[in-house]
Amino acid sequence: MDVIETRININSAEYRKNYEEMTGLVDELNRELDRAMNERFPKALQRHRESGKLPAAEKLELLLDRNTPFLEIAPLAARGLYDGEIHKAGLVCGIGMVSGRECMITINDATIKGGSMYPMAVKKTLRCQTIAMENRLPFINLMDSAGAFLPMQSEIFPDLDDGGRIFYNQARMSKMGIPQIVGVMGLCTAGGAYGVAMCDEIVHVKDHGAIFLGGPPLVRAATGDEVSADELGGALVHCRDSGVSDYFAEDDGHAISIIRKIVKGLPANGKSTLSTRPPKPPVYDPGELYGIVSPDLSRPYDIREVLARIVDGSQFLEFKEMFGPTLVTGWAYIHGYPVGILANNGILFSESARKGTQFIQLCDRRKIPLVFVQNINGFIVGKAYEKGGITKDGHKMVNAVTNCTVPKFTMIVGASFGAGNYAMCGRAYSPRMLWMWPNAQVGVMGGPQAADVLITITDDQRRRTGQPVLSDAEKAAIREPVIANALREGSPYYSTAQLWDDGIIDPVKTRDVLGLGISAALNGPLRDDAYGYGVFRM
């Protein structure tokens, strides 16, 4: 493979402007991440400590192997939703190393509303279960939850993607042989009790850990009996009498040590193998990404400059370089893992769509993971392009993205609009993981384009009815709110709050995040047995 030759002038005014603007966005991201992890009411923290419980961050630190990375999932979920204080949707989740084994980890943060499950907490749990199933990762849950947030129960309880789906997934994971281990570190009521009981092994903390279908208030209302939480479903009851729980723990730290021993004793899981090579850093400084990519999506750049600061040795073997040049395809290594990369260098034409389709099939056949680097405004439109078959060529690429079964990873580094989002493996196309840069935008189309479409439609309607076209003031009255709304709903923070992605990341961490994602994916098969494609319209 050849080293990508950079043409970036780090002393140019454009580079310096981009650098200043992008680092500003990264500073904002770091502030938001810090707030989500650390902003808690002092009284809640005090009550938590007085009850003998450890905060979620300390539990995570004890659980993980020393000096190993943690790939957090959706750290800004529910940002700005509800009362603006349900940080991380009340859950700390991610992939980490426990006793030498990559595991999916979820931890209730009971300093937030007692660990109550809001709708986004359910969605985040389902996302983590999906990741565990796709990548065959043992699932560790440190539970301390007051149960469903009752004022929003209609959004939590009955539907296909609501709370009941959590237990459905647990049953499926059990059938798949995915270990499920739970630490009972607080109240596990009603659905929480089933969530515990459906795990393979249960570690129960004395005094503050309790499991019951109905808590003391419900028991009192139903039977008139006065009973404490510990008497009703504490560690002694379930370790000694009912047999629900398997291990008795003195405190949270002791429970975590038991969980680490359980994971250490799990059967060895032979990871899928790739033709790896020793990893080596890019030739160019990843920090230069700040100056290459602008928050202004209208400023063009060569996507190869981004790849040169992500892939091993900045080396890239480009596939069909001269054909369909608005889509860059080729092979590289990331942390020693071979990958096939599809990266946007402009709008998608028929040629680029056909090239992408062929490249996806090649990687799928060879069991090479795919990385999609999105900065896409969509497919080309117009009379000549429709005559040339852009619709059927776009369909081919969407078909290939949908049906290829090797691990897929998506990084949105700029625009992600319209059907371009689909063809480049947006959320609906089940990438194993999807991340966004802080300058990214997602939507059917950009705000200015959407406003222009609405203005054109309105003018056409007026002409048909004999009315005058819109004045400049009337156009502005349409344009300004449309653009403002597109910016708000297209923001990466809006996306990540809704769990449309797995997190916003600092661009310089792109290489490491991809490496961790690929490593986790190797715990599962590289390709499904159901290899193949549907009909390609010719």
Side-chain angles (χ1 to χ4, degrees):
M1 295 183 182
D2 295 326
V3 173
I4 297 171
E5 183 179 350
T6 187
R7 292 178 172 82
I8 295 298
N9 177 7
I10 62 174
N11 297 313
S12 70
E14 181 182 8
Y15 179 92
R16 291 197 300 269
K17 179 177 174 58
N18 289 346
Y19 196 98
E20 181 180 354
E21 292 176 350
M22 185 65 85
T23 52
L25 293 181
V26 171
D27 288 343
E28 179 187 9
L29 171 62
N30 289 332
R31 287 192 297 270
E32 290 294 331
L33 291 171
D34 179 73
R35 179 171 175 260
M37 179 60 81
N38 298 308
E39 185 182 83
R40 303 292 184 271
F41 288 112
K43 286 187 178 179
L45 285 170
Q46 182 181 350
R47 286 195 300 269
H48 202 73
R49 291 284 191 185
E50 288 173 351
S51 67
K53 299 178 181 179
L54 295 176
E58 292 186 25
K59 291 177 183 176
L60 180 63
E61 184 178 2
L62 287 175
L63 182 63
L64 294 175
D65 293 352
R66 294 284 298 274
N67 300 317
T68 57
F70 180 64
L71 182 57
E72 188 168 3
I73 302 299
L76 297 178
R79 175 188 176 273
L81 302 181
Y82 315 124
D83 58 5
E85 296 167 353
I86 312 303
H87 301 300
K88 300 178 181 292
L91 295 167
V92 178
C93 305
I95 300 171
M97 195 72 71
V98 179
S99 297
R101 185 79 169 263
E102 285 163 308
C103 298
M104 172 55 71
I105 299 163
T106 68
I107 305 173
N108 291 105
D109 189 342
T111 63
I112 299 176
K113 305 292 186 181
S116 295
M117 293 287 282
Y118 282 71
M120 276 299 158
V122 172
K123 188 172 183 179
K124 188 170 179 177
T125 302
L126 294 174
R127 175 62 187 147
C128 290
Q129 289 180 322
T130 297
I131 293 172
M133 288 187 283
E134 287 180 338
N135 301 291
R136 306 300 196 273
L137 298 173
F139 200 101
I140 299 172
N141 185 5
L142 305 187
M143 187 173 287
D144 182 0
S145 173
F149 182 65
L150 294 179
M152 302 187 77
Q153 61 176 319
S154 65
E155 298 179 45
I156 296 171
F157 174 66
D159 209 349
L160 176 67
D161 56 353
D162 286 343
R165 195 70 175 188
I166 293 174
F167 314 129
Y168 173 91
N169 284 345
Q170 285 188 271
R172 289 181 61 210
M173 285 193 285
S174 181
K175 181 180 178 180
M176 293 169 69
I178 296 173
Q180 299 175 71
I181 304 158
V182 64
V184 178
M185 298 179 169
L187 300 182
C188 300
T189 309
Y194 288 119
V196 169
M198 294 187 75
C199 291
D200 298 339
E201 296 182 77
I202 302 170
V203 182
H204 201 142
V205 179
K206 76 171 186 178
D207 296 334
H208 57 256
I211 308 168
F212 31 62
L213 295 183
L218 181 59
V219 170
R220 183 169 59 251
T223 68
D225 291 341
E226 293 284 346
V227 63
S228 70
D230 194 54
E231 291 169 333
L232 184 62
L236 277 176
V237 172
H238 287 307
C239 288
R240 182 186 60 193
D241 300 328
S242 75
V244 169
S245 301
D246 305 306
Y247 305 90
F248 184 94
E250 296 290 335
D251 53 32
D252 287 353
H254 184 210
I256 290 170
S257 71
I258 294 172
I259 289 170
R260 287 183 52 81
K261 291 175 184 176
I262 294 170
V263 174
K264 189 173 184 178
L266 292 175
N269 178 47
K271 296 180 71 170
S272 297
T273 57
L274 293 168
S275 299
T276 59
R277 70 181 190 183
K280 54 183 176 180
V283 170
Y284 309 109
D285 180 7
E288 292 173 356
L289 290 169
Y290 297 146
I292 293 168
V293 179
S294 171
D296 182 353
L297 300 185
S298 67
R299 295 185 203 164
Y301 59 89
D302 187 345
I303 198 65
R304 296 175 185 83
E305 298 286 0
V306 172
L307 302 182
R309 288 152 181 86
I310 294 174
V311 302
D312 287 10
S314 302
Q315 293 176 314
F316 185 62
L317 177 58
E318 189 160 350
F319 175 76
K320 281 190 178 333
E321 180 180 359
M322 299 173 66
F323 183 79
T326 58
L327 182 67
V328 175
T329 56
W331 287 276
Y333 288 80
I334 294 176
H335 278 286
Y337 300 116
V339 294
I341 297 175
L342 297 93
N344 300 119
N345 230 7
I347 203 164
L348 287 168
F349 290 80
S350 283
E351 294 84 359
S352 43
R354 294 201 301 271
K355 176 170 80 170
T357 301
Q358 181 185 0
F359 185 73
I360 289 167
Q361 289 181 298
L362 283 173
C363 291
D364 198 18
R365 172 67 69 180
R366 298 174 185 177
K367 298 184 179 181
I368 296 175
L370 286 163
V371 174
F372 295 81
V373 184
Q374 282 198 23
N375 181 27
I376 179 66
N377 285 306
F379 285 89
I380 191 68
V381 297
K383 181 178 179 181
Y385 301 107
E386 292 297 347
K387 289 179 68 175
I390 184 63
T391 300
K392 67 180 181 181
D393 290 327
H395 131 77
K396 293 184 182 76
M397 188 170 175
V398 170
N399 188 322
V401 169
T402 301
N403 287 305
C404 75
T405 61
V406 291
K408 300 175 288 190
F409 301 89
T410 302
M411 191 70 62
I412 303 178
V413 303
S416 180
F417 295 141
N421 171 283
Y422 302 161
M424 289 296 292
C425 199
R427 187 63 138 184
Y429 291 79
S430 296
R432 295 291 179 94
M433 292 181 200
L434 182 152
W435 302 278
M436 302 182 78
W437 284 7
N439 63 310
Q441 291 183 32
V442 178
V444 175
M445 62 182 71
Q449 293 80 10
D452 288 343
V453 168
L454 288 174
I455 288 169
T456 299
I457 291 172
T458 303
D459 275 343
D460 289 345
Q461 290 172 340
R462 288 191 168 206
R463 289 189 187 98
R464 285 196 298 271
T465 57
Q467 300 179 63
V469 297
L470 295 168
S471 67
D472 289 344
E474 288 173 322
K475 289 179 180 178
I478 292 175
R479 180 177 286 109
E480 290 172 7
V482 169
I483 292 175
N485 189 61
L487 287 173
R488 182 181 70 86
E489 294 188 352
S491 157
Y493 290 105
Y494 189 91
S495 168
T496 208
Q498 307 290 334
L499 276 163
W500 296 347
D501 56 67
D502 295 310
I504 308 171
I505 66 165
D506 182 339
V508 302
K509 296 181 180 178
T510 299
R511 168 182 163 78
D512 291 341
V513 164
L514 286 169
L516 290 170
I518 296 167
S519 177
L522 295 183
N523 287 279
L526 277 174
R527 194 181 68 201
D528 288 352
D529 292 335
Y531 171 79
Y533 295 86
V535 174
F536 286 102
R537 181 171 294 280
M538 306 308 290

